[in-house]
Amino acid sequence: MALVAAEQIFITIIITTVVALSSSFSSATPTTACQFNFRDGNKLYNYTLSSPIPNFPHGILSEDGFYKVSVNQTTLWFQLCDGMIFNHDPPKCADCWDCGGPTRCGMECSALVANKIGGYHVCATIGSDPNIDIDVIDKKNPHIGVIVKMSSGGVKYNCSLAVSVLCDLNGVQAPQTLERSGDCNYATELKHPSGCAMIVNVHGSGWGWFGTLLIILLCLFAVYLLAGVVYRYFFLKIRGIEVIPNLDFWISLPRRTQSMCSSLVRKFKGPPSEGHRSTYSAVNF
């Protein structure tokens, strides 16, 4: 009974591993901050927003320390892939406690918005550096760019900012529009060469997920077999070839495989035709 329980445990481990692997393989893979990989067929799109590129040693980061856009009575400050730094033109608004306080307003978050209410600009933190999520804008056209989403949980609202980084090899176009949805959710866009992906052809390269899965299953089977041998040898005192667990099953496996293959062949070939008769004739005694 103990051996049967041990075998059930190992089979459960194998099934759990298969399910976990199958659920973890996806076409989009976030890596480190502001790095994102998206696979479309045989092409792998690599986005590295914070990596240096020609003419832009800081990548997507604004050299001023922040991006700024003002629409009507609302002003937005944000920085991608890092916190904001203000060497000039700092935010001047009330209620900035979640993002640095009155003396360092904007210096301890990655996105801040100010709405003019009753003649005063009231601040709300809508993004913090650790809470960043990246995805492609259009999965059917991944070359368009990526969307960077950041969020921040405040006392009154759960705020967020979605920045669409559009691929543009010709230069940078600062954000000019600002959209608001709900109480504290904002969206804007900018054009930048960092939004362009490096495309790698991955056809036929490496083992792939199936090869990796096969190796893991073989390793788990080896562990199961070794544990069964150890248990039967030291605890059940079995010697010789019988020490292998489920020996009868492994011996009968070739015969079962042959029988299964023969059954499949007969199934696909169908019943013998009328023109194909046995060369043997009936004998009357």
Side-chain angles (χ1 to χ4, degrees):
M1 295 296 294
L3 179 58
V4 173
E7 292 175 354
Q8 291 178 348
I9 292 174
F10 280 108
I11 293 174
T12 303
I13 293 174
I14 292 175
I15 295 175
T16 305
T17 304
V18 173
V19 173
L21 286 172
S22 61
S23 62
S24 64
F25 288 115
S26 60
S27 57
T29 307
T31 54
T32 57
C34 283
Q35 295 184 10
F36 183 76
N37 297 331
F38 176 80
R39 181 165 181 173
D40 183 21
N42 296 328
K43 293 182 179 180
L44 182 66
Y45 293 80
N46 295 321
Y47 302 90
T48 54
L49 301 181
S50 58
S51 298
I53 58 176
N55 300 325
F56 299 95
H58 303 290
I60 195 69
L61 274 72
S62 172
E63 294 186 359
D64 293 333
F66 61 92
Y67 292 97
K68 181 179 179 181
V69 56
S70 298
V71 177
N72 297 329
Q73 301 296 318
T74 302
T75 302
L76 169 69
W77 298 267
F78 70 92
Q79 177 70 293
L80 294 176
C81 307
D82 202 355
M84 294 184 289
I85 299 176
F86 290 94
N87 295 319
H88 64 91
D89 192 20
K92 297 177 181 179
C93 51
D95 195 10
C96 195
W97 297 108
D98 293 338
C99 192
T103 60
R104 293 173 53 84
C105 184
M107 299 286 282
E108 295 182 8
C109 65
S110 54
L112 184 71
V113 68
N115 291 290
K116 194 171 184 178
I117 302 175
Y120 296 94
H121 284 92
V122 179
C123 285
T125 303
I126 58 175
S128 57
D129 189 41
N131 300 323
I132 293 179
D133 185 29
I134 305 177
D135 200 357
V136 291
I137 296 176
D138 187 353
K139 288 182 170 58
K140 296 182 179 179
N141 298 295
H143 62 274
I144 293 178
V146 294
I147 182 168
V148 181
K149 297 180 181 180
M150 58 187 79
S151 60
S152 179
V155 178
K156 298 181 179 180
Y157 306 108
N158 290 322
C159 301
S160 66
L161 171 64
V163 182
S164 298
V165 183
L166 305 178
C167 172
D168 191 346
L169 295 173
N170 297 323
V172 177
Q173 179 178 324
Q176 299 177 351
T177 61
L178 182 61
E179 298 179 0
R180 178 176 178 176
S181 61
D183 295 324
C184 196
N185 300 305
Y186 296 85
T188 186
E189 67 178 33
L190 61 89
K191 296 181 179 180
H192 199 284
S194 294
C196 304
M198 179 182 298
I199 304 175
V200 180
N201 193 336
V202 294
H203 178 68
S205 61
W207 281 85
W209 69 268
F210 180 77
T212 304
L213 177 62
L214 183 61
I215 292 175
I216 293 177
L217 290 178
L218 290 176
C219 292
L220 290 175
F221 175 74
V223 172
Y224 153 74
L225 195 62
L226 179 62
V229 169
V230 171
Y231 176 80
R232 292 170 68 86
Y233 185 88
F234 290 100
F235 293 93
L236 301 182
K237 306 301 181 181
I238 298 176
R239 299 296 184 265
I241 195 172
E242 295 292 335
V243 76
I244 299 176
N246 290 325
L247 181 61
D248 293 339
F249 171 77
W250 303 121
I251 293 176
S252 64
L253 188 60
R255 178 178 53 80
R256 295 188 181 190
T257 304
Q258 182 181 6
S259 177
M260 185 182 300
C261 293
S262 300
S263 176
L264 290 176
V265 170
R266 288 194 299 269
K267 181 178 180 181
F268 285 107
K269 290 180 65 176
S273 60
E274 294 181 358
H276 182 270
R277 299 181 181 274
S278 175
T279 56
Y280 295 95
S281 59
V283 177
N284 295 322
F285 293 96

